[in-house]
Amino acid sequence: MSTPVSTHVFVLCKTEKMPGSYVEKIPLMANAACRRVWNRDFNKDPPNEDRLTTFGGWMNTRCFLLIDNGPVDKPYTLVRLRWDGQKLVDDPALVDRYIQRQFDTIYQFNPADRPKTNGLTDEELKEVLEPHQFEAFMKSKNEMTARHMEKLRQQTWNCMVHCGCC
């Protein structure tokens, strides 16, 4: 039995060149990257257990996705991809110093090694917001998560029905 390979997939994008609405961009890119690297859609369920991190802001021009897969206690392979406006392509360029520093200090392969966020937890946020503000925030957060997960499920289903590769 072979040892699973750990992979750190880095995707560089420009928001205005990505397909879909702002709600659809993350699921579309996550699925496209997983198809390119593993011939399957993004999947949080075992045995695949993909881990998705986004940074750079989806309202800004430059944005990034990290999709990690594999044992966190093993060395990993870095796969660098770039959205060219039509499709994901291999990006053989070296990771620039800023991005490498982000990998080393904030976005380590093992999520347990990542620093705790400077943001507030839901419990801490509840303490500083008025009840109606907290309820509105949680509703928005939950709706956004549900929309993203539904898009991932729908894209996986469409792929299974139309191309049969999943």
Side-chain angles (χ1 to χ4, degrees), residues 2-4 9 14-15 53 58 60 65 72 74 90 94 96 100 106 111 113 126 131:
S2 64
T3 305
V9 179
K14 289 196 176 180
T15 304
T53 305
W58 292 95
N60 299 326
L65 269 83
V72 297
K74 306 279 185 212
D90 292 327
L94 294 175
D96 68 45
Q100 188 60 55
I106 299 173
D113 294 338
K126 188 174 186 176

Side-chain angles (χ1 to χ4, degrees), residues 23 136-149:
V23 171
F137 168 79
M138 291 304 294
K139 180 180 179 196
S140 174
K141 178 181 168 183
N142 292 337
E143 287 173 354
M144 186 181 308
T145 300
R147 285 193 307 265
H148 285 266
M149 294 311 297

Side-chain angles (χ1 to χ4, degrees), residues 32-148:
C34 289
R35 285 182 198 129
R36 176 121 177 126
V37 176
W38 297 297
N39 293 318
R40 61 164 175 78
D41 281 335
F42 178 84
N43 187 350
K44 290 181 7 178
D45 301 321
N48 296 324
E49 300 181 81
D50 298 326
R51 299 177 300 277
L52 174 66
T53 305
T54 61
F55 61 105
W58 292 95
M59 301 302 229
N60 299 326
T61 302
R62 244 172 92 168
C63 50
F64 312 93
L65 269 83
L66 279 175
I67 301 171
D68 296 329
N69 184 283
V72 297
D73 58 345
K74 306 279 185 212
Y76 62 84
T77 300
L78 175 65
V79 175
R80 186 178 158 121
L81 303 172
R82 180 179 41 82
W83 183 255
D84 73 357
Q86 300 294 316
K87 63 187 178 310
L88 282 174
V89 296
D90 292 327
D91 190 353
L94 294 175
V95 174
D96 68 45
R97 283 185 283 170
Y98 169 77
I99 298 298
Q100 188 60 55
R101 190 170 39 256
Q102 298 292 306
F103 287 171
D104 295 342
T105 60
I106 299 173
Y107 301 107
Q108 294 90 340
F109 187 75
N110 184 348
D113 294 338
R114 294 178 181 179
K116 300 298 178 221
T117 179
N118 289 335
L120 300 175
T121 65
D122 291 348
E123 292 77 26
E124 292 167 330
L125 197 57
K126 188 174 186 176
E127 292 177 15
V128 297
L129 292 178
E130 296 293 325
H132 70 280
Q133 292 172 316
F134 179 74
E135 287 175 25
F137 168 79
M138 291 304 294
K139 180 180 179 196
S140 174
K141 178 181 168 183
N142 292 337
E143 287 173 354
M144 186 181 308
T145 300
R147 285 193 307 265
H148 285 266

